[in-house]
Amino acid sequence: MEQLSHYINGSRISGSSGRYGDVLNPATGEVQAHVPLANSQEIDNAVTFAKTVQPQWAAMNPQRRARVMMKFVSLLEKNIDSLAEVLSREHGKTLPDAAGDIQRGLEVVEYCIGAPQLLKGEFTDSAGPGIDMYSMRQPLGVTAGITPFNFPAMIPMWMFAPSLACGNAFILKPSERDPSVPLMLAELIEQAGAPKGLLQVINGDKEAVDAILQHPEIQSIGFVGSTPIAAYIYAQSSKYGKRVQCFGGAKNHMIVMPDADIDQAADALVGSGYGAAGERCMAISVAVPVGDETANQLIEKLIPRIEKLKVGPFTSGNDVDYGPVITADAKKKIEQLVETGINQGAKLVVDGRGFKLQGYENGFFIGPHLFDHVTTEMDIYKTEVFGPVLSTVRADSYETAINIAMDNEFGNGVAIFTRDGDTARDFANRINVGMVGVNVPIPVPLAYHTFGGWKKSVFGDLNQHGPDAFKFYTRTKTITARWPSGIKEGGEFTIPIME
């Protein structure tokens, strides 16, 4: 049985708490490794090392820090296949999907190579007689991130890459369900030239999380996960005076207008609804066709596409569309929501219940499900399923459709499929959702824009990656300077006026 570790001060360290968690193979249901669960003392040790190394890293000019990022990108590209295989083995997603997970994180690292430009301040010459005024962006110190199981490479890189580029140290608490890739990333960034102790990986559960939230030397917290936990972490971090950004749950809608290309819309829904077994915060889980004719055409197109989906382990290579969900508990929750949807009156038009894969009967596989005639009062609509389940909510008009999405408590992502520019423009302007797709089903911004939702999908006012990340991981300092020449003798007893 493999024994995993923490990564503290440049070394893999066995846990000292005496507590361990199981890392499962989702395809077989078997325990494949044990991971140590840190206590507060182990968190404190990691912070001590981080606090020691951070000042010398911050004193390094941004261009040199950017060169470390450049080497890190090169190492990621060189090791992407081995990283993807480890990721797939622990998470269950297909190899192409795992490689995409790494690639989208890598793109944020590439963006961080621009740190010298992104960290530039402002300067005003002669703001007053002999007075210059300028600002600078300075690092926070020791920062931390708590990341989810569904993107064990991408989301950690979304956090630690900009933090390090800004001159901070970083403590990463990844999901204990698939912790191996984060450990590998910490080793790779040291190979790229980062000093030991700059990026440390501490595995753990709520005890470790609370120790991070309460630690006085940790200046900021990033989190991605469910809304209840996001709200808890936001409240606790704020209580202890930390800067915090928390991203929670989602219920992403895709509105299909009567003039849309129905084949294109159906393909988009299958890929965005069932890819990665639906375990994406940007997955489309609700289709909203406008008009019964549109809905009937869409369902007709969806059924054969969904029935042809291939479900299996990542070892089957490119011949699989999606793999298992992460745990037996996740599978049970999804299956219960399906039954609830049926009991509450939704029509199950593609039934994935009872799916079994020969040789993998104990794996956490779920067949694809498609519901029609779902209403907004049903649990299958209100709950973030996080599984291969697509619900169809019929709307009698565009106004009804847009209001369905706007009235939902989540505001992470949304899409519209239409050929009409006026409708698309109105939709983009009016919708109260943070990321909007027009004929794009999963509107995840590229690294040089920011990622973040609205409403109960986010807690905090700055988004992930893009320019917001460099604002989040730095403080602005403004300097007003006047040199002795021309200064009048005597004290000044009023606020200076810049004339």
Side-chain angles (χ1 to χ4, degrees), residues 347-361:
K347 183 180 180 181
L348 187 61
V349 294
V350 176
D351 188 349
R353 292 176 296 174
F355 178 86
K356 293 291 182 182
L357 190 64
Q358 187 175 359
Y360 296 89
E361 289 81 4

Side-chain angles (χ1 to χ4, degrees), residues 12 72 79 82-83 86 179-189:
R12 294 206 179 207
F72 185 43
N79 291 278
S82 58
L83 287 165
V86 172
S180 290
V181 167
L183 293 167
M184 296 168 72
L185 295 176
E187 292 174 328
L188 288 176
I189 202 161

Side-chain angles (χ1 to χ4, degrees), residues 43-81:
I43 298 295
D44 189 61
N45 292 341
V47 173
T48 298
F49 288 121
K51 187 181 176 184
T52 299
V53 75
Q54 186 270 331
Q56 67 188 46
W57 174 253
M60 185 183 296
N61 70 58
Q63 187 171 351
R64 292 185 180 275
R65 296 200 298 264
R67 288 173 184 165
V68 172
M69 295 294 162
M70 291 174 66
K71 292 178 182 178
F72 185 43
V73 167
S74 178
L75 288 169
L76 287 170
E77 291 173 336
K78 181 179 179 181
N79 291 278
I80 192 167
D81 291 340

Side-chain angles (χ1 to χ4, degrees), residues 297-309:
Q297 291 176 0
L298 183 64
I299 293 294
E300 184 182 352
K301 297 286 187 180
L302 283 171
I303 289 173
R305 286 169 165 82
I306 295 169
E307 290 177 338
K308 291 178 182 176
L309 288 173

Side-chain angles (χ1 to χ4, degrees), residues 354-371:
F355 178 86
K356 293 291 182 182
L357 190 64
Q358 187 175 359
Y360 296 89
E361 289 81 4
N362 294 323
F364 311 134
F365 293 98
I366 298 180
H369 296 74
L370 173 64
F371 278 103

